[in-house]
Amino acid sequence: MALSPITPLPLEPAARRSDSLRGIALMTLGMFLFSGVDTMGKFLTESLHPVQIVWFRQSGLLLGVLILIAMQGRSVLRTVHLKLQIGRGVLAACSATLFIVGVAHVPLADAVAITFVAPFMVTVMGALILREPVGARRWAAVVIGFIGTLIVIRPGMGVIHPAAGLLIIAASAFALRQVLSRVLAGGDRTRTTVAYTAIVSWVLLSLPLPFVWQTPVSGLEIGLLIAIAVFAAFGEVLVIMALDAAQAVVVAPVQYSLLIWGTLYGFLVFGDLPDLWTGIGAVVIVATGLYTLNRERLAMRAQKLAVDEGDA
């Protein structure tokens, strides 16, 4: 997921084209790695507990954060919103665990498509919680996006496993986490938010770990768990590098490449291919998601112009 958020950032000065291309390339590689993490996680649910799998994943994120702290010092942990950072970490642990539980029963591409309902939830929560203005066009995009999700799930038709409901809950937790990101972006740096999310989620998942731990019995299981940690660590570092190289509004659409990688991995590893209706629903979700991102970009630009004119 869908487990690879892009923290919303305020509008920044336009980046050079070369920086934007570099950011897009870094984000694409990061999404490729995160999709690999999801695939390995789904595979391991056949023999290991989901909490144990997510713990290894978050251990990789923690490793990436420790590397970041080693490179840039403890200033990475300086925050003015400690309680919100802790809350975001709790939501990260919940959304990641629910996703792994859900994806154990749902084809990978379908699961990724369902969790992309999160951006529409962010719009709704942003309007209700943060009182962000949302125009008629964005509300229409939200409604159409939810319709796209219903096309994928087709509730009541027995097409998708009931565990898809867990993916919706995971997407809701992810969306609330993104809303918190918008609050945190005003006072904390992106890397600070990533650091606290990794640390808090790892500590939280460590609490039940002794009660669900299942010792890996094969070299394949051990290798995949290590790979999950390493891929997650490098994926997180690549996302941070992408956000440093280019504006968030430039690299944000790249997250939809998870659908491509999820379909590819799902076919190669599990022999799953989305059916026609899932494909149609995914197209609707992506199209409306990209439209929503563009409307947000235009809204931020208008807000910045208003601020500049007020300063003048």
Side-chain angles (χ1 to χ4, degrees):
M1 146 179 171
L3 295 179
S4 51
I6 296 175
T7 303
L9 297 175
L11 192 65
E12 302 166 351
R16 295 193 306 270
R17 184 171 182 270
S18 59
D19 291 336
S20 295
L21 291 176
R22 179 169 173 266
I24 291 171
L26 290 169
M27 186 63 72
T28 300
L29 183 55
M31 294 303 102
F32 178 78
L33 293 180
F34 277 126
S35 188
V37 170
D38 293 342
T39 304
M40 291 183 283
K42 176 178 173 63
F43 182 85
L44 287 170
T45 56
E46 297 178 2
S47 56
L48 299 176
H49 196 281
V51 170
Q52 183 176 351
I53 297 169
V54 178
W55 182 84
F56 271 94
R57 182 191 186 281
Q58 297 306 104
S59 295
L61 298 182
L62 182 64
L63 174 61
V65 167
L66 293 177
I67 293 173
L68 188 65
I69 294 174
M71 294 171 58
Q72 301 187 4
R74 287 182 294 179
S75 62
V76 172
L77 299 176
R78 190 175 297 120
T79 176
V80 295
H81 299 292
L82 181 58
K83 291 182 180 179
L84 291 181
Q85 292 287 12
I86 293 174
R88 190 180 190 277
V90 172
L91 289 170
C94 294
S95 62
T97 303
L98 288 169
F99 178 80
I100 291 298
V101 174
V103 81
H105 305 284
V106 177
L108 187 59
D110 295 40
V112 174
I114 292 170
T115 55
F116 269 119
V117 72
F120 309 118
M121 291 182 174
V122 170
T123 299
V124 174
M125 291 180 182
L128 297 178
I129 299 174
L130 303 181
R131 303 299 180 185
E132 294 179 345
V134 178
R137 293 179 181 178
R138 284 174 64 191
W139 279 121
V142 167
V143 172
I144 296 172
F146 279 121
I147 292 174
T149 305
L150 290 175
I151 292 174
V152 174
I153 300 175
R154 280 158 284 172
M157 298 182 65
V159 178
I160 297 292
H161 193 280
L166 295 177
L167 297 172
I168 294 292
I169 299 174
S172 301
F174 177 82
L176 184 55
R177 170 180 160 190
Q178 290 299 82
V179 171
L180 287 181
S181 296
R182 293 186 173 183
V183 178
L184 293 168
D188 291 343
R189 296 177 298 173
T190 301
R191 63 199 62 203
T192 299
T193 297
V194 171
Y196 274 99
T197 296
I199 294 170
V200 172
S201 60
W202 183 86
V203 171
L204 183 62
L205 289 165
S206 296
L207 298 179
L209 187 64
F211 303 100
V212 300
W213 178 269
Q214 296 169 269
T215 302
V217 296
S218 69
L220 177 61
E221 290 177 344
I222 295 172
L224 289 177
L225 288 172
I226 293 174
I228 283 176
V230 173
F231 276 36
F234 278 103
E236 197 66 52
V237 170
L238 286 168
V239 168
I240 294 174
M241 290 174 63
L243 291 169
D244 281 342
Q247 294 173 288
V249 293
V250 173
V251 298
V254 180
Q255 64 185 313
Y256 288 100
S257 65
L258 283 169
L259 280 170
I260 299 174
W261 306 130
T263 301
L264 178 63
Y265 281 132
F267 174 69
L268 294 178
V269 178
F270 306 106
D272 295 329
L273 276 177
D275 61 19
L276 176 61
W277 286 108
T278 298
I280 293 173
V283 169
V284 171
I285 292 170
V286 172
T288 51
L290 292 175
Y291 177 81
T292 300
L293 283 173
N294 184 58
R295 296 300 302 178
E296 289 184 358
R297 178 182 64 83
L298 294 175
M300 284 191 297
R301 177 175 296 177
Q303 183 179 10
K304 182 178 183 297
L305 289 175
V307 172
D308 291 342
E309 290 176 359
D311 293 340

